[in-house]
Amino acid sequence: MDPHLLRTYVTVTRLASFSAAARELGYTQSAVSQHIAALEQDLGTPLLTRRPVAPTRAGERLLEHAAPLLLRLDAARAEVAAVAGAADGRLVLAAAPTALTPRTLGALPPSGVTLRVLPRADVPEAVATGAARLGLVDGLAAPSDPLRLTGAAPLRTRGAGEEPVHVLLPAGHPLAGRPGLRLDDLADARWLDAPGAGLPLEQLRAVHGTGAFRPSLRYEGTDVRTLTALAGAGHGLALLPASAARAPGTVAVPLTAPRVVHRTELLHTAALSGPAAAFVARLDVTRS
């Protein structure tokens, strides 16, 4: 199966348009049609309906395999490029905003670093495609348990630190004076939905096992300071690692039940060398 044809197919299905896919990929619309026809001939079955453009049942099954296959190919290309360019002395690090804890920031070298702050879901792809040499992702987990990451199958992971989880409330909130909070206390509260800047509400729901935690406002940026300012202004609660849960007009209260931590993990493709290996060595020293 030709990966170029497969990439064209994934793009057409994502955009639901042959012409839009042609613009994104830099092909003519005729070339895109030829790619899809060649792939359908190779597999011996129609993969797309044309009006509207949508995957057939066989096409849906192909999509289930296509994303991890293409990501694995990208990871292989990135790994070869990383080995070839390991001596260039630069480190490109992609990180979710709340993965930039004092520990991970303290391990950065004093120079030669490009830091790319991305939405959490985009970090594995940045590493797999070679846009970044290393990645930092984070989330809720039981103490010492690894994160359950999606889209990171071709990548290698290692723990990069854990810290307590705090609920950030406005200073005048009725629960602000408590020494600790349980998720059961907060299921009906008004929450900030900020998947790019804080710990996503879907993770809270997974931990709690319910569909609670209704958002009152959605913030689609990656600036943690904006998120904490929204919490201080009374627009909703936010769940953050202890090191990030601070802002004027707010109170940070530890989450005591269930027993979960904010866990950060490092993503990479190949055996580490050069500035990437030096970063990991410093990170390991701070963990000991």
Side-chain angles (χ1 to χ4, degrees):
M1 190 183 304
D2 188 329
H4 297 291
L5 305 184
L6 190 59
R7 199 176 298 276
T8 299
Y9 172 71
V10 169
T11 306
V12 171
T13 55
R14 174 169 55 83
L15 298 175
S17 168
F18 281 70
S19 58
R23 287 193 296 271
E24 180 170 309
L25 295 170
Y27 298 146
T28 64
Q29 186 169 337
S30 175
V32 168
S33 297
Q34 291 172 16
H35 283 192
I36 299 302
L39 187 61
E40 289 177 328
Q41 183 177 8
D42 180 26
L43 295 176
T45 185
L47 299 172
L48 289 171
T49 60
R50 267 48 176 185
R51 292 195 177 122
V53 176
T56 63
R57 186 174 180 183
E60 290 176 349
R61 291 304 304 271
L62 179 61
L63 279 176
E64 294 175 8
H65 295 282
L69 281 172
L70 292 173
L71 192 61
R72 191 170 293 277
L73 286 172
D74 288 336
R77 185 180 294 109
E79 186 164 336
V80 171
V83 171
D88 66 3
R90 295 200 59 80
L91 171 64
V92 179
L93 174 68
T98 44
L100 295 172
T101 64
R103 172 177 286 144
T104 55
L105 289 173
L108 290 173
S111 62
V113 179
T114 298
L115 178 61
R116 295 177 179 166
V117 179
L118 302 175
R120 185 176 291 101
D122 294 347
V123 174
E125 183 178 0
V127 179
T129 59
R133 182 69 181 88
L134 300 174
L136 288 169
V137 292
D138 64 334
L140 294 178
S144 301
D145 277 2
L147 297 177
R148 296 178 180 178
L149 298 175
T150 57
L155 304 178
R156 306 175 192 183
T157 64
R158 55 193 295 161
E162 294 180 354
E163 64 175 306
V165 177
H166 284 194
V167 181
L168 195 66
L169 310 97
H173 195 280
L175 300 177
R178 293 197 182 183
L181 290 169
R182 301 167 52 90
L183 276 187
D184 288 342
D185 301 328
L186 305 167
D188 295 324
R190 298 169 65 250
W191 285 86
L192 291 165
D193 184 16
L199 294 169
L201 292 186
E202 63 185 32
Q203 293 190 11
L204 277 183
R205 297 185 185 108
V207 168
H208 195 248
T210 70
F213 309 104
R214 300 167 298 167
S216 62
L217 182 149
R218 182 175 174 86
Y219 170 55
E220 295 186 348
T222 57
D223 185 4
V224 178
R225 290 182 300 176
T226 299
L227 174 61
T228 58
L230 287 168
H235 292 291
L237 310 186
L239 194 70
L240 290 163
S243 59
R246 60 172 70 90
T250 65
V251 174
V253 181
L255 183 69
T256 55
R259 189 164 174 256
V260 292
V261 295
H262 170 257
R263 180 175 172 86
T264 305
E265 291 189 0
L266 182 77
L267 307 179
H268 62 98
T269 56
L272 297 171
S273 59
F279 170 76
V280 173
R282 284 188 293 269
L283 190 61
D284 288 343
V285 167
T286 65
R287 292 176 60 203
S288 59

